[in-house]
Amino acid sequence: MRLNVENLLCVRGGRTLFKDLSFRLAAGESLRLQGPNGAGKTSLLRMIAGFLPPGAGRIRVEDGQTEHTIDEVCHYVGHLNGIKSALTVRENLDFWRSYLQGGDVGKAMRRFALTGLNDIPAGLLSAGQKRRLALARLAVAHRPLWLLDEPTVSLDQGSCDMFAGLLSAHIAAGGIAIAATHVPLAVDFTQTIALGGAAGAEQ
């Protein structure tokens, strides 16, 4: 699996956030996005996820000679948790299992310390619990590409460490990950790109 991003242009509100942005990620590689608020980190993730069209450039996901659509291979976790408040924790994850044709919901609940909240409506959860529920879908269904926008927001240190372990395991197993984060994660990222007029890309 390879992700190729070629010469992307992002213009929002008449302002160019970035242009001629290119990078490649192969299986087992990862990218950390850095930069101040408004630098274009979220816009870049949304472009890769297919939610925002680039002003120019191309995004391709390939496996050997086969080109895939992003929705076939991608998990996207954005600022919003994407959970249904009226559904219980278990019902939310059952929905994601069905929608994504996933597997063991119970294992995902144990991994994200949600088992004791099984029958609680999601709307009654704390901010950190809601975030853990949102992240749990990463463990419900396998997707090789993870796009993560401030994934540890609202999490305590123990949950941050747990998530860093999950992300490292995903990468070590041949997955690809791109994470925009202001919080240091105990993850060895392959590449770093700094947006917003900073130094550019590092490898």
Side-chain angles (χ1 to χ4, degrees), residues 73-89:
V73 299
C74 172
H75 273 306
Y76 174 83
V77 178
H79 289 164
L80 300 178
N81 288 318
I83 59 179
K84 296 291 187 181
S85 296
L87 299 182
T88 67
V89 168

Side-chain angles (χ1 to χ4, degrees), residues 59-80:
I59 301 164
R60 293 179 293 129
V61 180
E62 301 170 321
D63 185 2
Q65 300 300 314
T66 303
E67 187 165 345
H68 296 275
T69 61
I70 284 290
D71 61 304
E72 293 178 292
V73 299
C74 172
H75 273 306
Y76 174 83
V77 178
H79 289 164
L80 300 178

Side-chain angles (χ1 to χ4, degrees), residues 154-176:
S154 301
L155 296 184
D156 59 26
Q157 188 58 54
S159 296
C160 287
D161 293 342
M162 176 274 297
F163 175 72
L166 181 72
L167 179 55
S168 294
H170 170 71
I171 297 166
I176 299 172

Side-chain angles (χ1 to χ4, degrees), residues 74-77 93 96 100 108 111-112 131-148 151 163 166-167 170:
C74 172
H75 273 306
Y76 174 83
V77 178
L93 290 177
W96 284 111
L100 298 172
R111 186 67 184 264
F112 284 86
R131 195 57 172 175
R132 295 206 315 269
L133 176 55
L135 292 168
R137 67 177 178 264
L138 299 172
V140 167
H142 172 71
R143 292 291 186 275
L145 173 61
W146 290 6
L147 304 176
L148 308 167
F163 175 72
L166 181 72
L167 179 55
H170 170 71

